[in-house]
Amino acid sequence: MGQRLTDQPLPAAAACGHAVMDLGPDTSVLILLKHCRDMKQQETRLRRISLLLLLLAAAALLAFTCWAALGCEHTPSGHGMNTVNGDGLQLEEKEKSPAFSKQQGVFPRGAQANSNRLRIDLSSRSDGHSSDPRYVQWNAVFGEEYNEEKRAIVIPEDGFYFVYVRIALSCHDDDEASDLETFHAVLHKWNEAYNATVTLTEAWEGVACAADGHRGVFVGQLCDLLRGDHVSVWIRRGYRLISKAAFGAFLA
C-alpha cells in the first residue's frame, strides 16, 4: 500500500517561530538604538539650520536698521536730485529717504512750529507819573501776540509758559529823602471763556529814597495757560517808581 500523506496546517506561532527566533532580543534592541540615534542626528541638523537662519535674519535686520538710521541713500554733495512739490517748492532728494521720513514721523514740522509759536518780549512805554493802580502799557520788542487795547499778551494755544517781568525802580527829585516808597506788582490773567481776572503771582518791594533810591524787581514763573488767556502786569502801588520794565513769555 502506498503511504498517504496527510497535509495538516501548522500553527501560526510555529510558522513564524523561526523568524522570531532569528531576530532575538539583542537584535531588536540594536535596531531601536540605531533608530533613536538617527532621529537625534536629524534633530541636531534641524536645530543647526534653524539657528543659522535666525542669525541671518538678525544680521539682515541689523543692517537694515543701520542703513535707515544713517541714511545710506544720501547722495554726495552737489549731485543730489531735486523735485518740485505741489506748491512749486523744491525738495531735496534726502527728504525722500527712509531716514528723513522716519525723522518726520517723530518730529513733524507742525510740532516744531508749535514749539516756537510764542516768543514775545515787551518794553514799558513811558506814561509819565500816572496814578495807581493801573496796567502797564508796552511796546513790542519782538513777537506779535500783544493786545494793545487790553495791554496783555494773548496766549495762542494751551500749554506751559514761562512768564517773566523785570522792573527797574528809582525815586524822583520831588520825593522826600526820608520817604520809603512801596511798590506792589501783580501778574493777572483773563479769558473771555470764564470772564474772571485771576492772579498768577505778585511781588512787593520797598525803595528808600534816603539812600540811593534804586531797586530791581524780577518775577518769573511757569504757568499752565489756556488758549485765549490774556496775561498782563497790574501795578497796585508805586507805578510812578518805574523807570523801565520788560515783560515777556515763551512756550516752555
Side-chain angles (χ1 to χ4, degrees):
M1 292 179 61
Q3 186 179 3
R4 189 175 64 178
L5 299 176
T6 302
D7 296 333
Q8 296 181 355
L10 296 175
C16 62
H18 291 288
V20 174
M21 293 301 294
D22 289 339
L23 290 176
D26 295 338
T27 305
S28 301
V29 173
L30 292 175
I31 293 175
L32 183 60
L33 290 176
K34 184 177 183 301
H35 179 70
C36 293
R37 184 171 59 252
D38 294 340
M39 293 295 293
K40 288 184 178 181
Q41 289 179 353
Q42 292 181 3
E43 184 180 359
T44 302
R45 285 195 294 267
L46 289 176
R47 287 182 178 179
R48 290 178 179 176
I49 293 174
S50 300
L51 180 59
L52 180 60
L53 292 176
L54 182 61
L55 291 176
L56 291 176
L61 180 61
L62 180 61
F64 178 78
T65 304
C66 178
W67 170 76
L70 298 180
C72 296
E73 290 187 353
H74 178 71
T75 56
S77 177
H79 298 282
M81 296 178 61
N82 295 333
T83 59
V84 180
N85 63 5
D87 298 330
L89 300 176
Q90 289 188 347
L91 300 175
E92 296 182 358
E93 186 178 5
K94 66 180 181 180
E95 295 185 1
K96 301 183 295 180
S97 66
F100 184 83
S101 301
K102 184 177 180 181
Q103 292 176 358
Q104 272 193 323
V106 178
F107 301 105
R109 293 180 179 177
Q112 293 177 349
N114 290 342
S115 65
N116 298 322
R117 181 164 294 181
L118 180 63
R119 295 288 190 275
I120 185 170
D121 184 76
L122 309 172
S123 62
S124 60
R125 182 181 301 179
S126 177
D127 286 343
H129 298 329
S130 301
S131 59
D132 302 327
R134 63 175 301 167
Y135 286 101
V136 181
Q137 191 172 5
W138 306 94
N139 290 320
V141 178
F142 60 82
E144 300 177 355
E145 295 82 0
Y146 174 63
N147 187 327
E148 187 171 357
E149 179 182 359
K150 300 293 184 180
R151 300 188 179 187
I153 295 175
V154 183
I155 302 301
E157 63 180 9
D158 299 355
F160 289 92
Y161 294 82
F162 185 78
V163 184
Y164 61 89
V165 183
R166 184 175 63 254
I167 302 175
L169 306 175
S170 62
C171 296
H172 300 281
D173 295 338
D174 56 349
D175 294 329
E176 296 182 3
S178 59
D179 287 344
L180 178 64
E181 295 284 346
T182 302
F183 178 80
H184 184 196
V186 183
L187 194 63
H188 280 166
K189 76 170 182 177
W190 169 85
N191 196 311
E192 294 180 354
Y194 45 83
N195 195 22
T197 301
V198 179
T199 298
L200 295 176
T201 187
E202 54 188 323
W204 292 82
E205 186 59 84
V207 181
C209 294
D212 54 3
H214 296 279
R215 282 289 186 274
V217 178
F218 179 82
V219 178
Q221 181 167 311
L222 189 65
C223 304
D224 184 9
L225 301 176
L226 303 176
R227 180 179 180 181
D229 280 346
H230 290 61
V231 183
S232 55
V233 180
W234 188 51
I235 307 301
R236 185 186 297 271
R237 293 186 62 180
Y239 190 95
R240 62 194 302 272
L241 296 175
I242 298 176
S243 58
K244 60 181 179 179
F247 174 41
F250 58 87
L251 186 62

